[in-house]
Amino acid sequence: MAERIPCIRKGCDHMILPATAAKTGGYCMPCKQEMEREAHQRYIEANRRDVDLYEGITDAVHILKIMHEPRTYNELIRYVPYKYSMEQVYLSLSAEQQHEMKCYAMDLIRSDDEDGGKDILLYLVCYHDLPLTAEIPELLERDIVYPAVLFKSASGETRDHLIQQVNNDKENRNHFLIMLAYIGDDAVVQQFWQWKQSPPEWAGELYVEPECYTLQAGWELTEEGQRRELFITPSYSLYEAGDSDVEGSESVNLEGSPISLLVPSSSLCPWCGSSFISLMNLHVKHPSLQSVHWNSPQLDVHTCLVCSSYSVVYMEMDAEGKPIWSKHNMKPDGFDDIDVEEIRVDVSGLVSSTLDDSVQRRLFHIAPKPRQPFHGSEWAMEPSLSQVGGHPGWVQDADYPSCPACSVTMKAIGQLDGEMIQENGEGVYYMFGCEPCQMTAVSYQQS
């Protein structure tokens, strides 16, 4: 057996065969590969160039087309990001530009770029509530049945066609039911009521009752067969002061009203010992809460960030209108076996001490103008998710908790993106309220 010799790279103690040394110039294979990687990285750094695809372009439609254009990865090119986010550019579109983008999206779909076209239509529907009444029949002809929110402006003729298809098309029945829920007019409400009163034969093939599909569109049937909305409007964006990625292209001139978010409490969670935190504290006279009947001047939503990620956490209001732990909270099975320290949310960044030992909190704002109710409903679009009011951006299926005191479905009153709570935070925290019982609830979803 050949005697091994040391690798000639300084600091390496590997011993290699002479044959290997002859091939590598005296280096062991790990060192040889590392040196090649380093040389390649030096080559990239020496030859990489910045490319600004937006240079000299001011037309928002042209900018969005560039943003949506697929790019082939090239390690020698570093693309300069546009100064505003895709969300901001979409919000700046005029009515004429929205129409232009809609036509472009349909052209993409006709040229077999279905995903690219649907993405554009989704932005237009969610950010501008742009109706697709004329385009929906063509989408259906092309077997495009998702995302369902695209179909909420369907005509009565299309609605009746979808009702027929629910009975006949088993493969797409789930999609058609959600599409009908988004249409949600009187005829749809009546149809869901009939299905509830007299379940059709195909109802047994579903995982849930037909009327449960309305939850995906943010409403439910009452005991009298009427439509009851499950989220409050109008919707207002929430953002951190100084955050450049907020709605509207004039981000340098933001003048949103202050709002209290993410304030730690001195009270401790009885389940895990973590400090409660006020996710949102907003005066009830704010326009976003105009439809909410609350007995206290402030709507203060407290929760435990740890426990609400495992179970819905309810809070009641005491005689002074302050949130307290609800006696209705039920610890989930197996919770005592969880290592709380491993999952504890880091809230140290929410407050900081200044040189004079005073406490300085992060500053948050609520946008001065409302946005479309479905603006934050599609979380995968990466919109600014944090909001008061508006359709929830469900990461998974719609899951409105029932009030433990009266059993009525609680209304969504807002949501906070996990990234707002901590750096690289995940998921979304959803806030709900029951007005008759003066209770709040918080749940959590992540991908």
Side-chain angles (χ1 to χ4, degrees):
M1 184 174 180
E3 183 178 352
R4 292 178 178 267
I5 59 177
C7 171
I8 65 173
R9 193 178 190 191
K10 185 178 180 180
C12 179
D13 55 4
H14 287 173
M15 303 296 288
I16 59 177
L17 294 171
T20 301
K23 293 179 181 179
T24 63
Y27 298 98
C28 66
M29 289 307 298
C31 284
K32 179 68 172 177
Q33 293 167 352
E34 178 63 23
M35 292 165 61
E36 290 175 349
R37 283 193 295 268
E38 292 174 353
H40 183 64
Q41 186 60 36
R42 288 194 297 270
Y43 173 80
I44 292 175
E45 292 174 358
N47 293 277
R48 185 162 50 191
R49 58 192 177 92
D50 291 339
V51 175
D52 186 355
L53 298 174
Y54 310 100
E55 185 176 3
I57 300 175
T58 58
D59 178 64
V61 170
H62 192 176
I63 290 167
L64 286 172
K65 289 180 179 179
I66 295 173
M67 287 181 166
H68 282 288
E69 186 71 27
R71 298 176 192 169
T72 303
Y73 175 73
N74 188 331
E75 59 188 5
L76 295 180
I77 295 178
R78 180 168 47 212
Y79 291 103
V80 178
Y82 189 59
K83 59 182 177 179
Y84 299 124
S85 69
M86 184 178 288
E87 178 184 20
Q88 291 172 302
V89 180
Y90 265 104
L91 288 169
S92 73
L93 295 178
S94 65
E96 182 180 354
Q97 290 172 322
Q98 294 170 39
H99 178 75
E100 188 176 350
M101 284 300 298
K102 179 174 69 171
C103 293
Y104 176 66
M106 294 304 297
D107 287 342
L108 289 178
I109 290 173
R110 294 173 188 131
S111 63
D112 293 330
D113 185 4
E114 179 180 307
D115 290 338
K118 286 197 305 182
D119 285 347
I120 293 173
L121 293 178
L122 191 59
Y123 282 103
L124 294 171
V125 168
C126 291
Y127 292 168
H128 290 285
D129 198 25
L130 188 71
L132 302 179
T133 310
E135 291 74 26
I136 286 173
E138 182 175 352
L139 297 180
L140 291 174
E141 286 179 7
R142 295 179 178 277
D143 294 325
I144 295 176
V145 295
Y146 182 85
V149 69
L150 296 179
F151 300 86
K152 68 187 188 72
S153 59
S155 65
E157 182 180 357
T158 299
R159 173 204 63 214
D160 294 340
H161 170 71
L162 290 173
I163 292 175
Q164 280 298 118
Q165 289 298 97
V166 167
N167 294 315
N168 301 325
D169 190 339
K170 177 180 179 180
E171 182 180 353
N172 290 309
R173 183 171 290 138
N174 285 292
H175 293 301
F176 292 146
L177 287 168
I178 302 176
M179 289 156 66
L180 286 169
Y182 272 103
I183 295 171
D185 60 12
D186 291 342
V188 167
V189 173
Q190 181 62 28
Q191 182 61 72
F192 274 107
W193 178 243
Q194 290 179 8
W195 284 331
K196 182 176 183 179
Q197 297 295 101
S198 302
E201 292 182 1
W202 46 260
E205 301 173 6
L206 305 174
Y207 290 107
V208 296
E209 293 79 7
E211 64 272 15
C212 292
Y213 282 81
T214 66
L215 299 178
Q216 295 297 130
W219 60 278
E220 68 174 355
L221 288 172
T222 66
E223 293 182 355
E224 295 77 29
Q226 302 300 310
R227 171 173 172 151
R228 176 176 179 258
E229 304 297 333
L230 291 179
F231 60 90
I232 65 171
T233 56
S235 173
Y236 286 79
S237 176
L238 302 174
Y239 56 92
E240 187 166 3
D243 189 349
S244 61
D245 189 22
V246 294
E247 59 180 317
S249 59
E250 298 298 326
S251 59
V252 294
N253 295 319
L254 290 170
E255 297 178 353
S257 302
I259 182 174
S260 175
L261 300 177
L262 304 174
V263 178
S265 167
S266 58
S267 300
L268 301 180
C269 174
W271 287 356
C272 72
S274 300
S275 295
F276 287 137
I277 191 166
S278 173
L279 285 185
M280 179 183 76
N281 189 341
L282 182 62
H283 199 284
V284 294
K285 290 186 177 181
H286 188 274
S288 63
L289 302 180
Q290 62 186 18
S291 64
V292 179
H293 302 288
W294 209 249
N295 296 339
S296 306
Q298 298 287 136
L299 177 55
D300 193 358
V301 182
H302 273 54
T303 195
C304 170
L305 292 176
V306 172
C307 296
S308 58
S309 63
Y310 286 91
S311 175
V312 179
V313 170
Y314 298 95
M315 289 285 181
E316 303 176 16
M317 301 301 121
D318 65 14
E320 298 179 352
K322 303 297 183 182
I324 57 174
W325 182 260
S326 173
K327 59 181 178 293
H328 296 286
N329 283 315
M330 300 290 292
K331 186 183 293 187
D333 293 338
F335 185 84
D336 290 332
D337 298 328
I338 297 172
D339 187 345
V340 174
E341 290 302 320
E342 287 189 1
I343 60 175
R344 195 178 300 278
V345 179
D346 180 15
V347 296
S348 60
L350 299 181
V351 295
S352 59
S353 299
T354 59
L355 293 176
D356 59 1
D357 293 330
S358 61
V359 174
Q360 182 176 355
R361 301 190 185 279
R362 291 164 59 191
L363 299 178
F364 299 95
H365 284 261
I366 185 168
K369 296 180 181 180
R371 63 188 194 177
Q372 294 295 335
F374 288 87
H375 183 111
S377 63
E378 298 290 328
W379 72 275
M381 291 166 45
E382 298 187 355
S384 48
L385 277 172
S386 298
Q387 63 183 21
V388 180
H391 188 287
W394 298 109
V395 179
Q396 302 167 17
D397 290 334
D399 190 9
Y400 295 86
S402 296
C403 175
C406 70
S407 300
V408 170
T409 307
M410 302 179 80
K411 285 188 176 183
I413 56 179
Q415 62 188 29
L416 287 183
D417 188 349
E419 286 191 352
M420 179 176 279
I421 296 174
Q422 62 177 345
E423 187 176 1
N424 300 319
E426 298 180 346
V428 180
Y429 287 88
Y430 305 93
M431 297 173 279
F432 308 90
C434 177
E435 296 157 272
C437 300
Q438 296 290 286
M439 294 185 66
T440 62
V442 173
S443 66
Y444 174 81
Q445 291 184 359
Q446 72 175 57
S447 58

